[in-house]
Amino acid sequence: MTTKIDTNFLQELQDRGLIAQTTGGDALAEHLNSASCTLYCGFDPTADSLHIGSLVPLLMLKRFQLAGHKPIALVGGATGLIGDPSFKAQERKLNTPDVVASWVGKLRAQVSRFIDFECGANSADVVNNLDWVGKMDVLSFLRDVGKHFSVNNMINKESVKQRIEREGEGISFTEFTYMLLQSYDFAELYQRNQCTLQIGGSDQWGNITGGIDLTRRMHGGHVFGLTMPLVTKADGTKFGKTETGTVWLDSSKTSPYAFYQFWLNTADADVYKFLRYFTFLSVSEIAAIEAEDLTRAGKPEAQRILAEEMTRLVHGENGLLAAQRITQALFSDDLAGLSESDFEQLQQDGLPSSKLVRADIAELPLTQILADVEMAASGKQVKDALVRNAVFINGQPKSIDDNMQSANSFAAEKAFFKRFYLVKLGKKKYHLFEVA
């Protein structure tokens, strides 16, 4: 059965703003339109989870597959031991082989959620470059791979040049050889899997063109490269970072609720670009959303749509429902519908949280308990809030008369799931306590 090829695919990528650079000019379009091709993208195990900065290339593999092509996700068990110097200010810390191996397994599972392994001729593969690099001895590497690279050309690659010219930093021979390893991956996948296209972020341009050249020199292969723009925010701050740190794809590192909130808080200046980059809504659908938002009074709908699409894509329908449930409960101050796992998400990264020992509560007034976790600058501010009945514990208002009755306010029978107490001070300050 012949796979149907979407011949308008490259134009759609252009319309979405997803192409930064390509090699081959019109020849790439002819190559993609003539038959199903095999492409790959590499993901190095620099942590035990991918973060949302990896979503554009991950979803690009999925887009190519939906257009009729065969994607390979390469998890860098070998390159992860070295570290990619591309546009990094400093040398990466080298991780031990056993740590990298454990991360490889986790990343393999993650990337597998985004591509289809049972769709006929263009079913996806996941590979590990340690399977071929690990079998190569150093002399073979130097003779068979290294001889094809000019040091003059390598040091003129922008990503390397920046490191060499940065005073006091430089680049080690270890990281300098990274380009050779990634280039060899392309040559090897061309031989093993007839892979003819490598994709990656625009910071990978030098590594990708190195692989194209090596594949030609070693095997006479004619292959291509395509890069995607690195995601930037209109205000100049780094995409994928929040006050609490990196937004991860692993729910144990970033909860579905926090993930949902990240997208919900997208700036108006970025949201339509992000809809084109990250979702599978058509360009015309996104244009219609933007047009409707321009005529809408109040908050645009684009952020909600983006948050729903992305949370469903990464965490599934149940993850999205939980995120929506928690969001609505906090908005309405009606906590009764939250499950125990919902509270655990809030405790993980949704709200400031602390643990209390029940035996200690009786000794402390509410003013001190809440001031100690910085719900207010001082006990006096908490006291003023109690006078105004502006303190709530699990939805119940507290007065100044309750100040010395902390044990009653945190009574076991008033806890959610025998341990959780959500304290609200004023309109916007929350703190989740777990009492043991």
Side-chain angles (χ1 to χ4, degrees):
M1 180 178 175
T2 303
T3 304
K4 185 177 180 181
I5 305 302
D6 180 358
T7 55
N8 297 316
F9 178 57
L10 275 183
Q11 185 59 52
E12 182 193 341
L13 295 183
Q14 290 279 16
D15 294 343
R16 288 181 176 274
L18 282 173
I19 298 179
Q21 296 166 291
T22 63
T23 66
D26 292 340
L28 174 60
E30 293 172 10
H31 179 65
L32 292 174
N33 292 340
S34 61
S36 176
C37 85
T38 299
L39 70 145
Y40 96 94
C41 184
F43 302 90
D44 274 352
T46 56
D48 60 354
S49 171
L50 296 171
H51 51 75
I52 59 174
S54 304
L55 273 176
V56 168
L58 262 179
L59 297 177
M60 188 68 105
L61 287 179
K62 186 178 180 72
R63 295 184 199 280
F64 268 91
Q65 187 171 40
L66 292 173
H69 304 287
K70 180 181 178 67
I72 298 175
L74 182 149
V75 181
T79 42
L81 290 167
I82 300 302
D84 184 359
S86 298
F87 299 99
K88 301 293 187 297
Q90 295 177 320
E91 192 89 4
R92 286 183 183 272
K93 175 190 170 188
L94 291 179
N95 294 295
T96 61
D98 58 325
V99 167
V100 172
S102 70
W103 291 351
V104 164
K106 291 179 179 180
L107 265 58
R108 181 189 288 267
Q110 275 191 337
V111 301
S112 297
R113 300 206 310 264
F114 292 89
I115 43 183
D116 190 347
F117 293 84
E118 297 180 359
C119 59
N122 64 327
S123 295
D125 284 327
V126 178
V127 298
N128 181 352
N129 59 13
L130 190 61
D131 290 344
W132 52 84
V133 176
K135 296 174 182 176
M136 178 175 277
D137 63 84
V138 66
L139 289 178
S140 297
F141 179 74
L142 292 173
R143 288 174 59 85
D144 298 340
V145 179
K147 69 177 181 179
H148 295 297
F149 285 83
S150 160
V151 171
N152 303 54
N153 290 336
M154 290 175 68
I155 62 176
N156 283 321
K157 299 284 187 183
E158 190 62 33
S159 59
V160 175
K161 189 190 298 184
Q162 286 187 16
R163 282 281 290 277
I164 292 175
E165 294 176 351
R166 188 176 287 111
E167 186 176 346
E169 291 295 340
I171 185 171
S172 71
F173 176 75
T174 299
E175 286 200 355
F176 188 60
T177 62
Y178 184 93
M179 182 191 297
L180 279 68
L181 292 177
Q182 183 169 327
S183 298
Y184 185 59
D185 287 342
F186 201 176
E188 187 71 14
L189 288 173
Y190 173 78
Q191 278 291 87
R192 288 173 175 242
N193 301 80
Q194 295 76 56
C195 179
T196 54
L197 173 65
Q198 182 183 173
I199 65 171
S202 58
D203 61 339
Q204 296 299 306
W205 180 250
N207 293 333
I208 290 172
T209 55
I212 291 171
D213 189 51
L214 182 64
T215 304
R216 177 182 59 81
R217 289 172 180 271
M218 290 184 72
H219 307 300
H222 186 200
V223 295
F224 301 89
L226 180 153
T227 64
M228 297 147 282
L230 299 180
V231 184
T232 57
K233 293 170 70 173
D235 64 4
T237 59
K238 191 169 183 179
F239 172 77
K241 296 283 187 180
T242 67
E243 289 181 5
T244 55
T246 302
V247 181
W248 301 95
L249 302 187
D250 186 334
S251 61
S252 69
K253 293 171 75 73
T254 297
S255 71
Y257 168 73
F259 188 85
Y260 179 82
Q261 290 296 316
F262 170 82
W263 298 102
L264 204 60
N265 291 322
T266 301
D268 292 349
D270 294 319
V271 67
Y272 306 103
K273 177 176 76 171
F274 288 0
L275 281 168
R276 291 191 294 272
Y277 276 12
F278 294 105
T279 76
F280 288 83
L281 298 172
S282 69
V283 173
S284 59
E285 286 175 302
I286 295 167
I289 293 167
E290 185 171 9
E292 288 175 17
D293 280 347
L294 286 172
T295 63
R296 190 186 309 278
K299 188 172 176 62
E301 281 289 285
Q303 281 87 346
R304 177 190 60 79
I305 294 169
L306 177 64
E308 289 178 358
E309 291 289 323
M310 297 314 301
T311 308
R312 182 185 291 112
L313 186 67
V314 174
H315 295 295
E317 195 66 37
N318 288 339
L320 171 60
L321 292 173
Q324 291 174 320
R325 187 167 58 241
I326 297 168
T327 302
Q328 179 58 32
L330 293 178
F331 178 77
S332 65
D333 288 325
D334 182 5
L335 309 175
L338 295 183
S339 68
E340 188 169 11
S341 65
D342 293 341
F343 278 102
E344 288 170 347
Q345 284 195 49
L346 285 172
Q347 183 183 41
Q348 177 184 324
D349 55 12
L351 292 174
S353 62
S354 303
K355 293 189 177 184
L356 291 175
V357 177
R358 192 171 298 283
D360 295 340
I361 294 174
E363 307 296 324
L364 302 172
L366 284 177
T367 48
Q368 184 175 340
I369 291 174
L370 303 190
D372 284 349
V373 296
E374 300 180 352
M375 289 198 79
S378 66
K380 184 181 183 305
Q381 288 188 4
V382 178
K383 188 174 182 180
D384 292 343
L386 286 166
V387 170
R388 301 193 312 269
N389 295 116
V391 176
F392 296 82
I393 299 180
N394 282 355
Q396 299 301 309
K398 297 299 170 182
S399 69
I400 192 63
D401 296 333
D402 297 304
N403 186 38
M404 303 305 295
Q405 307 288 327
S406 298
N408 183 54
S409 296
F410 290 96
E413 65 273 11
K414 296 178 181 178
F416 284 107
F417 304 100
K418 301 181 180 179
R419 56 186 176 124
F420 291 118
Y421 300 84
L422 184 62
V423 179
K424 181 181 180 186
L425 192 155
K427 292 184 177 180
K428 294 185 177 179
K429 286 194 173 180
Y430 290 92
H431 198 94
L432 182 65
F433 289 95
E434 181 182 8
V435 180

